[in-house]
Amino acid sequence: MMYQKPMLKEGSLKDQVIVVTGGGSGLGKAMSTYFLELGAHVVITSRNFEKLERAKIELEQKTGGKVLPVQCDVRNYAEVEAVLAATLKEFGKVDGLLNNAAGNFISPTERLSANAFDTVIDIVLKGSKNCTLAFGKHWIDYKQPKSTILNIVTTYAWTGSAYVVPSATAKAGVLAMTRSLAVEWAKYGIRTNAIAPGPFPTEGAWDRLLPGDLKDKFDMKNKVPVGRVGEHQELANLAAYLMSDFSAYINGEVITIDGGEWLKGAGEFNMLEDVPKEMWDMLEAMIRSKKK
Ligand code: COA
């Protein structure tokens, strides 16, 4: 299948230095892998340094690229500044920031403690803000001609969603930040965009979000009009495109990659998808007969 294949031509991110928060696992790791394959140097961050070290070895062996693992809790501004310093020390510059690190609890909101709510807001919104501010200040001070911020949000950033309220609240903030800074910081050569992925199963987050037999009970592909969940490579293709100069005229955009999932839930008559052909024949006859 074409969508499982790398899309950009070799060297599309040659010598770019890209920081990927949460880059040691899941979708962050998949996007990092492709950035490396396209010639970028990648800095991966996570709270778990051992996981990062394992990922560094795996990614370097797989791609032949250079990976710098830096331990960082994105909630802590000083740690984020340390990532920037380590990146500059190792590579002498930084070109792109991918705000991918996230946290989420599936839960009725009233069961969450104030601290649980804060935890998700702090990782997602404050974490994205911390990285964006630290790297943005650097790019502006340094007068770097061009740089890119890419934020991973979700389609419920604009629809909202029950049972993931802290995440929805925080992602809505990240989306507002994306669109605001796209205008404010364009004069400094900083492009700011977002991706809103639908279901892209990963071992870690997916098992945590839908534990036990919930995964089978609520088979996500049934919610997606194209009838399947996403492949990591197709998300990586989009992320690499938005990081690359090929997308130089795209700024302040959020690109949804969900097979039509959120719209399926939104359209007033979308439930008619389940109506079989024979019933359509009957319905059409009934409607036409009323007209006469
Ligand atoms: N449901 C409700 N509350 C929960 C919870 C759950 N599943 N898991 C933890 N909490 C609460 C804790 O009880 C605590 O609140 P309290 O102090 O009032 O008791 C609060 O949330 C913080 O928990 P803690 O474990 O200290 O948070 P942490 O900062 O160590 O880690 C995460 C939080 C989200 C990073 C962690 O759960 C994690 O690593 N998740 C995996 C990453 C992830 O969720 N990715 C999904 C991307 S969509």
Side-chain angles (χ1 to χ4, degrees):
M1 287 302 220
M2 285 302 277
Y3 61 80
Q4 290 164 331
K5 296 208 166 76
M7 179 181 83
L8 293 182
K9 60 184 179 197
E10 212 174 288
S12 290
L13 294 175
K14 191 165 173 13
D15 298 332
Q16 298 289 295
V17 179
I18 301 171
V19 173
V20 181
T21 65
S25 57
L27 299 179
K29 191 165 145 196
M31 291 185 278
S32 298
T33 306
Y34 191 40
F35 295 164
L36 288 158
E37 285 170 354
L38 290 169
H41 307 302
V42 176
V43 180
I44 52 175
T45 81
S46 156
R47 290 184 300 171
N48 182 339
F49 191 65
E50 279 167 21
K51 181 166 83 178
L52 287 179
E53 279 188 313
R54 283 196 302 275
K56 171 192 159 75
I57 294 167
E58 184 191 327
L59 295 185
E60 287 188 341
Q61 277 174 356
K62 190 170 173 201
T63 66
K66 176 104 184 80
V67 177
L68 176 69
V70 186
Q71 185 169 22
C72 170
D73 186 334
V74 290
R75 292 173 283 190
N76 183 323
Y77 193 73
E79 290 183 30
V80 169
E81 285 187 307
V83 172
L84 174 62
T87 304
L88 296 175
K89 185 164 176 241
E90 179 77 16
F91 297 113
K93 63 160 186 164
V94 59
D95 303 285
L97 166 68
L98 174 53
N99 280 313
N100 163 76
N104 201 353
F105 307 133
I106 286 234
S107 174
T109 308
E110 69 278 12
R111 290 173 62 117
L112 293 174
S113 69
N115 186 40
F117 206 120
D118 282 349
T119 298
V120 174
I121 298 263
D122 286 352
I123 296 169
V124 175
L125 180 54
K126 193 172 154 189
S128 301
K129 175 274 291 177
N130 281 345
C131 297
T132 300
L133 195 61
F135 283 70
K137 279 172 183 283
H138 163 73
W139 285 321
I140 293 165
D141 288 348
Y142 188 71
K143 296 191 171 47
Q144 182 153 323
K146 64 180 169 58
S147 50
T148 306
I149 299 168
L150 183 57
N151 296 321
I152 301 299
V153 294
T154 158
T155 51
Y156 60 67
W158 56 90
T159 62
S161 176
Y163 303 105
V164 283
V165 171
S167 171
T169 309
K171 293 284 192 183
V174 175
L175 182 55
M177 188 168 68
T178 306
R179 289 172 168 154
S180 307
L181 289 177
V183 174
E184 191 180 325
W185 282 359
K187 60 180 171 287
Y188 302 118
I190 304 172
R191 280 192 305 127
T192 312
N193 289 298
I195 297 177
F200 279 85
T202 58
E203 255 172 44
W206 215 245
D207 290 347
R208 241 174 256 119
L209 284 172
L210 294 174
D213 60 3
L214 275 188
K215 247 197 312 288
D216 305 317
K217 203 166 174 187
F218 301 110
D219 189 344
M220 283 298 201
K221 74 175 181 313
N222 297 337
K223 293 176 72 222
V224 183
V226 302
R228 64 173 177 87
V229 293
E231 291 281 339
H232 290 192
Q233 184 63 47
E234 55 193 331
L235 179 66
N237 283 340
L238 178 58
Y241 168 67
L242 290 173
M243 272 292 172
S244 76
D245 282 349
F246 291 114
S247 62
Y249 203 46
I250 298 182
N251 185 32
E253 189 53 87
V254 52
I255 300 189
T256 303
I257 178 163
D258 74 341
E261 184 212 16
W262 85 268
L263 284 168
K264 183 173 176 176
E268 191 171 359
F269 290 99
N270 287 353
M271 74 288 191
L272 298 180
E273 189 67 21
D274 294 335
V275 174
K277 182 178 175 302
E278 305 72 45
M279 202 182 285
W280 277 120
D281 293 341
M282 209 172 74
L283 286 169
E284 185 178 342
M286 281 163 66
I287 294 163
R288 283 183 186 275
S289 73
K290 282 232 163 62
K291 238 172 144 184
K292 277 177 205 141

